[in-house]
Amino acid sequence: MSADEYPVPPPVVGRGAVFVEHRLKSPQVSESAYIAPTAVLAGDVSVGPHSRVLFGAVITAEGGPVQIGANCVIMENTVIRGVPGQETRVGDDALIGPHAHLTGCVIEGGSRIGTGAVVFNGARIEAGAEVEFNAVVYVNTVVPSGVAVPMGWFAGGQPAELVAPGDWDRIRAIMGPLDYPGTVFGVAASDTGTPMSDVARRYARGLALHHRDHIVPDQRHTPSYQSPQL
C-alpha cells in the first residue's frame, strides 16, 4: 500500500485541551482557531475563525451559551462563564487579558479587557471600549464605545459612572440599584438578607449537572466549519 492510499485523518482542533460535554452540548471550534493544551471548554461554547484561547483559560457554559467571535485572543488563565438568562458573547477582534473574569456579559467587537479585570453579569462593553488592569465593571452596567475604565477603577450604571478606588461611599451608592443579588443569584430585592449558606446551596444545586459531564476525547474535537452568528 502506498502513502497515497492511506485514509486522510480527520482534522482535530484543540489537541491536548479539555473539551467537556455538559448539558448534552459539546464545544464547537473553528478549524482555524487555536485552543492551547491546558485550556478547558465546557458545554455550549463556540469559538470563531482565527481566534486563540491560551493556556489555562476556562470557557464554561453553565446553563447559558458562550460565543467567542473571530480573531479574538483569550489569554492565559482567563475565565469566561455563561449563565442562564444573560447573553455571554465576545465579539470579533477582541482581546481579553490574562486572569480576566467575565460572567454573563457582552464584550462587543474591537474591545480590550485588561489583565485581572472583572466584568459582571448583565454588563455590556460596547465596541472599542476598554477595561484596564484590575478594573471592575459591575452588574447591569454599560461601558460606552470609546470609554476606558482606568486601572483599578469601578464602573457602574447605564452609562457607566467611573469611580476611583477607595471612594467606597460612591461605589456603594451606585451598586444598590443595580441589584447584584437578583442579577447573579436570583434573589429578590426583598430577600437581600438571605444567608449566604442558602445562596451557596442554590448555586450548588445549579451546578449538580456536572456529575453527568463527559470528557470529549481528542480525536472527537472535530472542527466547526460555520462561525458563530455574532
Side-chain angles (χ1 to χ4, degrees):
M1 178 180 287
S2 69
D4 292 339
E5 295 176 286
Y6 278 93
V8 177
V12 173
V13 293
R15 194 180 300 277
V18 178
F19 284 21
V20 179
E21 182 188 88
H22 176 57
R23 295 174 181 254
L24 304 180
K25 298 281 189 178
S26 296
Q28 303 294 311
V29 177
S30 171
E31 185 176 14
S32 61
Y34 171 73
I35 312 297
T38 74
V40 178
L41 276 59
D44 191 4
V45 172
S46 58
V47 179
H50 306 291
S51 287
R52 316 298 180 214
V53 179
L54 300 185
F55 299 89
V58 175
I59 305 176
T60 180
E62 304 285 5
V66 179
Q67 294 182 325
I68 308 296
N71 301 301
C72 293
V73 177
I74 312 299
M75 298 188 72
E76 292 84 355
N77 299 309
T78 289
V79 175
I80 302 177
R81 187 182 305 277
V83 295
Q86 293 158 344
E87 183 180 11
T88 306
R89 173 168 58 87
V90 177
D92 297 344
D93 308 311
L95 175 61
I96 313 298
H99 297 278
H101 194 129
L102 316 178
T103 301
C105 60
V106 173
I107 313 298
E108 293 185 353
S111 299
R112 182 178 70 86
I113 309 299
T115 300
V118 179
V119 184
F120 278 104
N121 306 54
R124 178 178 294 269
I125 311 301
E126 292 188 344
E130 298 189 355
V131 180
E132 295 291 352
F133 309 130
N134 296 315
V136 173
V137 178
Y138 203 55
V139 297
N140 302 318
T141 289
V142 176
V143 178
S145 297
V147 169
V149 181
M151 187 182 305
W153 283 42
F154 172 92
Q158 302 183 14
E161 179 179 340
L162 308 183
V163 184
D167 189 353
W168 300 116
D169 289 341
R170 186 59 195 149
I171 290 173
R172 278 191 289 267
I174 295 170
M175 289 170 63
L178 294 174
D179 188 20
Y180 179 92
T183 302
V184 176
F185 298 118
V187 177
S190 60
D191 297 330
T192 53
T194 301
M196 184 49 63
S197 59
D198 291 348
V199 172
R201 290 189 190 103
R202 181 183 305 184
Y203 201 5
R205 285 195 298 271
L207 295 173
L209 285 177
H210 278 298
H211 283 301
R212 301 185 181 185
D213 286 356
H214 299 283
I215 304 299
V216 180
D218 272 11
Q219 64 268 25
R220 288 181 49 211
H221 293 190
T222 54
S224 168
Y225 293 100
Q226 292 184 342
S227 60
Q229 298 300 307
L230 301 174

